[in-house]
Amino acid sequence: LSTTPRTWLVVAPASLGSPMTVPPADHVGLAIRALACGTPVVVSERSPVAKMSSTEGVFVIPDEAPLTVGRLGFDQPFAYERASASAHRAAFWGHASFVVADEYVKALGFRVEPLPSVSIVLVTRRPDLVIEALGATSVQKYENREVVVGLHGADPDDQLVRDIEAACPEVSSVQFFSALQPFGEVLDTVVDVSSGRLVAKFDDDDWYSEHHLSDLVAAWMLTRADVVGKTANFAYLETSDQTLGYDDELQYRRVEHIPGGTMLAPRDLLIDYRFGRSTRAIDSVLLRKVRADAGYLYSTTRQGFMRRRHRGHTAGFDDEWFIRRAHGRTLPGLRLDLAVRGAIEEAEAPGNVHHG
């Protein structure tokens, strides 16, 4: 691209090998359509889309600056994937038809139907982790939510309840259960206590970004699948101190399995199928029943979630299983920035690139 000052927009494929430029009058419409496809958009400062610079997935570059993959940060591991997920979010939550319609309805002075209510259920056998785990529920950007906590094997503790409620004002109920009660029954009881139209399961030892819940709700609203989640994942392997992304191809598609820590489903469905008296592979038991009735499981982006795999984890996969699923591609250390800590990092040179 020439560096002569002008008004331009580029719909950016991952390689930038064959960018497409369009007239300024078409910029905003094309930008929104591109974002909806998960395609980041790069614009000059003169483009009308530059006013959308706070939108995730939109990058504004000075008119005279050369356009390179490195300048956008796409040469970093999984950076383009993060930008693509951000583009999807920007299009859905900012420009979907229901958003536009709601704005018109509000402008006319009428009441707008709220987004689906969600109950986050957090059930743990480790009460010492519950306060830290609630940090992930508190930062969620999706607002119409409550949190129901189940403490399995913990004695009733009024002080712990007060600490939980202080740590997370969204907590609507704290339930205590005997260690002798099957874990599946514990989950069923917590679901019964919840009040949301949808129920999302959070684990106590994984990492969730602020976008995780809104990603799941968006996937459910778009697909109306019976269960949605994130089958492709990032994982941190504590024993070998490595981070990896695996099952890349299991994003944005129908799948056979959903990891329990990413599961979101209608409350009515969970009440109908139940986790039951299962003590192991609890989520798999329920999902098999859903699939046996021709249920639809959908996996959205893996961004916004990272598994923590450690010795004694309840799911018995060793590090080699994950490394094989990642085709041997691993990065040293804990890399939360790949999936959990926001979108693409700001460019090192201030003022060179602005983005959502």
Side-chain angles (χ1 to χ4, degrees), residues 16-291:
L16 296 182
S18 54
M20 176 175 64
T21 58
V22 296
D26 298 332
H27 280 198
V28 173
L30 178 61
I32 292 171
R33 292 195 297 274
L35 293 170
C37 296
T39 305
V41 173
V42 185
V43 298
S44 73
E45 292 174 320
R46 295 168 179 257
S47 168
V49 181
K51 296 177 181 179
M52 299 166 58
S53 61
S54 62
T55 299
E56 293 182 294
V58 174
F59 297 78
V60 181
I61 292 184
D63 294 330
E64 71 282 358
L67 179 59
T68 65
V69 171
R71 179 173 293 279
L72 299 176
F74 291 169
D75 55 342
Q76 299 302 308
F78 303 105
Y80 187 83
E81 178 181 307
R82 292 198 298 278
S84 178
S86 295
H88 273 297
R89 293 181 191 121
F92 185 82
W93 294 111
H95 303 283
S97 58
F98 78 91
V99 175
V100 177
D102 283 356
E103 290 301 320
Y104 278 115
V105 170
K106 284 190 288 187
L108 292 171
F110 294 104
R111 178 178 176 272
V112 173
E113 282 296 313
L115 291 168
S117 57
V118 180
S119 297
I120 299 174
V121 298
L122 176 65
V123 178
T124 179
R125 296 186 177 97
R126 296 172 287 200
D128 55 310
L129 295 183
V130 69
I131 300 298
E132 181 181 352
L134 286 170
T137 71
S138 298
V139 300
Q140 296 303 307
K141 287 194 169 184
Y142 191 81
E143 295 181 354
N144 192 8
R145 68 183 191 274
E146 67 169 3
V147 181
V148 181
V149 176
L151 298 170
H152 189 208
D155 294 328
D157 183 336
D158 291 341
Q159 182 58 52
L160 180 56
V161 172
R162 289 192 290 271
D163 291 344
I164 288 171
E165 292 173 342
C168 182
E170 293 85 13
V171 170
S172 61
S173 179
V174 180
Q175 303 287 313
F176 292 85
F177 300 91
S178 164
L180 300 177
Q181 192 166 354
F183 199 76
E185 284 189 353
V186 171
L187 277 169
D188 285 334
T189 303
V190 170
V191 170
D192 290 341
V193 169
S194 71
S195 63
R197 179 181 178 185
L198 303 172
V199 173
K201 283 181 77 260
F202 274 45
D203 281 346
D204 62 8
D205 56 353
D206 294 325
W207 290 284
Y208 300 84
S209 85
E210 69 272 24
H211 300 296
H212 175 75
L213 189 59
S214 56
D215 286 346
L216 296 181
V217 174
W220 182 80
M221 291 178 69
L222 284 167
T223 66
R224 285 303 196 266
D226 294 291
V227 183
V228 300
K230 300 184 177 184
T231 304
N233 283 171
F234 287 89
Y236 172 59
L237 313 179
E238 284 192 346
T239 54
S240 55
D241 190 28
Q242 300 178 88
T243 300
L244 51 80
Y246 65 94
D247 288 346
D248 310 35
E249 69 281 3
L250 298 182
Q251 301 180 84
Y252 306 109
R253 59 171 290 181
R254 188 168 190 153
V255 292
E256 298 296 311
H257 178 71
I258 298 288
T262 73
M263 180 188 299
L264 177 139
R267 178 176 179 270
D268 289 347
L269 179 142
L270 297 180
I271 289 175
D272 286 344
Y273 284 93
R274 316 298 280 175
F275 291 97
R277 296 184 58 79
S278 307
T279 57
R280 294 187 60 82
I282 297 158
D283 307 305
S284 297
V285 170
L286 181 139
L287 293 173
R288 280 197 295 270
K289 290 187 285 188
V290 173
R291 286 176 50 214

